[in-house]
Amino acid sequence: MAKKIYFGTNLKMYKGNGDTVAYLSALAARAESLESAHDIELFVIPSYPALKEAVETVNRQTGKRRIIIGAQNMSPHDCGQYTGEVSPLMLQELGVGLVMIGHSERRHGMRETDEEENAKVLAALNHRFITLLCIGETSAQKNYGIADEVLRSQLKIGLHGVGADRLPLLRIAYEPVWAIGEEGVPASADYAAQRHHVIKQCLLELFGDQAEQIPLFYGGSVNPDNAEELISRPHIDGLFIGRSAWQADKFDALIRRVLPKI
Ligand code: PGA
């Protein structure tokens, strides 16, 4: 069997409860018909208000290829005076399986720091969530030639204190900020592969050979035309997709286009 491949999407603040349920129902039906010859993991990260019904929707899936539901953010605290925040215990109660931490829109829109992402990473891993840490340089950092330094410091601070026993739950998404969203320019496969090489080296420094088990995803303007080339590169184990995945039929078509080439 070919290498395991990961496909995920963050629905950002685009789909409410009804749209999320309709989307997941359509995606689940398609996912079940993907040939079992392919070892893939699928995850979808809806908005908070849609999480309960999202989990219920995928729990109705019958096949073994069940979509994992993730949260877009999480407080590092279990409970307390944190108005407007959502705790790990609340997400566990809903049956959420994954937590995304440090998406560029949290880092840059909400001014979250690497230290804050680190506290969330540790809390998410302690609560046994699949923990997806997003990292990526801005266009200014790229132009100054410090992309690799930025990635290394985001990893070293963001993963500080993570024990080797938690690594099976860890995922890293490399998403250059300049590549994300409507204004984004997709990274070339060569550029993405070079950054993934740096990320891999840094993880090997941090965790030794145990780092081999951490899947690395590329995100930022992934589309049907660049997906195959990106996933064929070393150390790109998955694709983390926004706009090109928000219609179930298009996401399914992108997955099928990529899979036979693996
Ligand atoms: P995009 O979003 O694919 O629409 O560029 C990527 C992301 O924000 O994760």
Side-chain angles (χ1 to χ4, degrees), residues 74 88 91-92 96-99 123-125 127-131 169:
M74 186 193 78
L91 296 177
Q92 267 177 340
V96 164
L98 178 150
V99 175
L125 290 171
H127 287 85
R128 303 289 195 279
F129 291 107
I130 295 173
T131 301
L169 292 169

Side-chain angles (χ1 to χ4, degrees), residues 68-129:
I68 297 168
I69 296 299
Q72 295 180 9
N73 183 28
M74 186 193 78
S75 166
H77 307 288
D78 281 356
C79 60
Q81 300 179 97
Y82 303 103
T83 301
E85 293 289 287
V86 174
S87 90
L89 300 182
M90 295 168 184
L91 296 177
Q92 267 177 340
E93 189 184 5
L94 293 180
V96 164
L98 178 150
V99 175
M100 173 174 64
I101 290 163
H103 186 274
S104 118
E105 289 153 20
R106 303 289 319 169
R107 289 178 185 269
H108 301 287
M110 314 291 165
R111 306 230 173 276
E112 289 185 7
T113 64
D114 284 320
E115 291 77 6
E116 287 168 323
E117 312 307 7
N118 178 234
K120 294 180 189 194
V121 164
L122 294 175
L125 290 171
N126 282 341
H127 287 85
R128 303 289 195 279
F129 291 107

Side-chain angles (χ1 to χ4, degrees), residues 10 12 100 103-105 175 179-182 184 219-222 240-244 246:
N10 163 23
K12 306 193 180 185
M100 173 174 64
H103 186 274
S104 118
E105 289 153 20
E175 298 200 286
I180 293 175
E182 298 289 347
S221 294
V222 174
F240 191 34
I241 311 166
R243 290 156 295 151
S244 295
W246 293 341

Side-chain angles (χ1 to χ4, degrees), residues 176-250:
V177 180
W178 45 270
I180 293 175
E182 298 289 347
E183 311 289 309
V185 181
S188 70
D190 284 346
Y191 185 88
Q194 287 159 9
R195 303 289 83 70
H196 275 247
H197 178 75
V198 170
I199 292 165
K200 191 71 169 190
Q201 290 309 312
C202 183
L203 293 172
L204 286 166
E205 280 168 38
L206 289 173
F207 301 113
D209 290 347
Q210 306 259 39
E212 295 292 352
Q213 63 190 297
I214 306 170
L216 308 183
F217 311 153
Y218 170 79
S221 294
V222 174
N223 61 59
D225 295 328
N226 64 11
E228 284 170 63
E229 202 185 351
L230 284 162
I231 202 68
S232 68
R233 296 307 174 100
H235 310 313
I236 301 185
D237 306 302
L239 298 174
F240 191 34
I241 311 166
R243 290 156 295 151
S244 295
W246 293 341
Q247 286 171 258
D249 56 343
K250 294 202 170 138

Side-chain angles (χ1 to χ4, degrees), residues 5 8-10 28 44 46 56 62 66 78 96 108 110 128 139 143 148-149 181 222-223 232 240 251:
I5 178 164
T9 183
N10 163 23
V44 173
E56 288 167 4
T62 49
R66 189 174 286 178
D78 281 356
V96 164
H108 301 287
M110 314 291 165
R128 303 289 195 279
S139 67
N143 293 339
D148 294 344
E149 286 87 341
V222 174
N223 61 59
S232 68
F240 191 34
F251 192 14

